[in-house]
């Protein structure tokens, strides 16, 4: 599965990025994938290539390009408990500086770039994200209801923006929550808010998981959780992007 390095023009410069896509010539539905706070690294390339293997053009931008090209954070090959304090000391200032305004400005640029790729079909696109990228995915979908047909967020703080965000969604939504992040009671309240906003969605706690369960280079990884993520994500994209 080819991976192509790219530079995305934005209001504040250029974001480095990569795309994974099938190596046969026809156009494919587009998917914008937001990384977790640890950023672009081999595990993100693996996720993008896996998704591309199912027939999608997957664009993965470097979110913190204003601070320099990726990688900005020195990551060990395996992010365990001992490494986390030093890693978070580097990551948190980047997250704190990445305001809602920056997220939305970049979303405009990322979607414009994605939808004008010669390998991408003319139909609607999907957005998916991990950890904080899940929140960015939801913000992107809410800001572009005419373009985004599906949005999926995994172990993300998707309730941070409250019902105002949900009321702007036109996309079909899947939310895969870590058991360590959300109690059943909190899930019930979140789902009631989604219902009240009229969102078409599935939202569930993945049993036995902790925050970051999709990331195989961390001690949070759950093989069962990752499989469940694919079992939910792929049918969602198949339903909403058919014909794109």
């Amino acid at each position: 599965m080819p991976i192509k390095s790219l530079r995305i023009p934005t209001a504040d410069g250029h974001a480095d990025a990569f795309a994974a896509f099938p190596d046969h010539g026809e156009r494919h539905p587009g998917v914008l994938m937001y990384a977790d706070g640890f950023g672009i690294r081999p595990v993100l390339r693996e996720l993008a290539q896996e998704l591309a293997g199912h027939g999608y053009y997957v664009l993965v931008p470097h979110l913190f390009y204003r601070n320099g090209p990726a990688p900005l954070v020195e990551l060990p090959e395996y992010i365990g408990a001992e490494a986390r304090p030093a890693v978070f000391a580097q990551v948190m200032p980047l997250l704190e500086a990445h305001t809602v305004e920056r997220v939305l400005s970049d979303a405009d640029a990322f979607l414009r770039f994605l939808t004008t790729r010669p390998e991408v079909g003319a139909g609607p696109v999907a957005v998916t994200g991990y950890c904080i990228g899940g929140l960015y995915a939801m913000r992107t979908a809410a800001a572009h209801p005419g373009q985004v047909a599906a949005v999926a967020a995994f172990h993300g703080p998707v309730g941070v923006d409250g019902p105002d965000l949900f009321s702007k969604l036109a996309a079909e939504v899947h939310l895969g929550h870590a058991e360590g992040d959300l109690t059943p009671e909190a899930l019930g309240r979140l789902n009631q808010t989604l219902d009240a906003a009229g969102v078409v969605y599935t939202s569930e706690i993945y049993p036995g998981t902790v925050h970051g369960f999709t990331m195989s280079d961390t001690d949070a990884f759950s093989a069962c959780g990752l499989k469940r993520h694919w079992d939910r994500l792929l049918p969602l994209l198949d339903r909403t992007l058919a014909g794109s």
Side-chain angles (χ1 to χ4, degrees):
M1 204 63 52
I3 281 189
K4 185 176 183 179
S5 296
L6 299 163
R7 281 169 55 82
I8 303 174
T10 75
D12 292 324
H14 287 80
D16 44 314
F18 74 87
F21 50 93
D23 54 6
H24 38 90
E26 69 268 20
R27 294 187 171 197
H28 309 282
V31 179
L32 173 60
M33 178 183 287
Y34 285 107
D36 61 358
F38 296 153
I40 291 177
R41 58 197 193 280
V43 69
L44 266 297
R45 293 183 178 86
E46 292 169 9
L47 289 168
Q49 285 187 297
E50 174 70 21
L51 184 53
H54 293 274
Y56 299 99
Y57 181 101
V58 185
L59 177 65
V60 186
H62 171 42
L63 302 180
F64 310 123
Y65 65 90
R66 292 173 181 86
N67 298 85
L72 288 175
V73 176
E74 295 181 19
L75 294 175
E77 289 186 11
Y78 181 77
I79 305 167
E82 291 184 1
R84 284 181 179 270
V87 171
F88 275 105
Q90 298 175 75
V91 168
M92 291 309 298
L94 300 173
L95 294 177
E96 290 165 359
H98 203 59
T99 61
V100 175
E101 291 75 22
R102 286 185 174 186
V103 171
L104 295 180
S105 175
D106 288 347
D108 294 346
F110 296 160
L111 288 179
R112 187 182 311 116
F113 187 87
L114 174 63
T115 56
T116 55
R117 294 307 88 205
E119 302 91 349
V120 175
V125 301
V127 188
T128 186
Y130 302 92
C131 181
I132 194 65
L135 176 59
Y136 299 163
M138 293 286 280
R139 288 174 175 168
T140 300
H144 296 272
Q147 281 185 290
V148 178
V151 59
F154 301 94
H155 47 85
V158 295
V160 166
D161 292 349
D164 286 348
L165 183 147
F166 299 151
S167 67
K168 298 172 185 175
L169 290 168
E172 184 176 343
V173 176
H174 175 70
L175 305 176
H177 310 285
E179 189 173 55
D181 283 348
L182 207 65
T183 66
E185 294 76 19
L187 176 67
R189 291 191 295 271
L190 175 64
N191 291 353
Q192 285 178 353
T193 306
L194 290 163
D195 287 332
V199 178
V200 177
Y201 74 94
T202 55
S203 173
E204 60 182 310
I205 293 171
Y206 287 22
T209 59
V210 297
H211 184 77
F213 62 80
T214 56
M215 298 296 154
S216 62
D217 61 350
T218 77
D219 56 1
F221 178 62
S222 164
C224 293
L226 180 62
K227 180 181 183 302
R228 194 181 189 98
H229 141 282
W230 291 122
D231 289 345
R232 300 297 187 267
L233 178 59
L234 294 174
L236 171 67
L237 300 184
D238 187 55
R239 284 194 304 274
T240 55
L241 300 185
S244 294

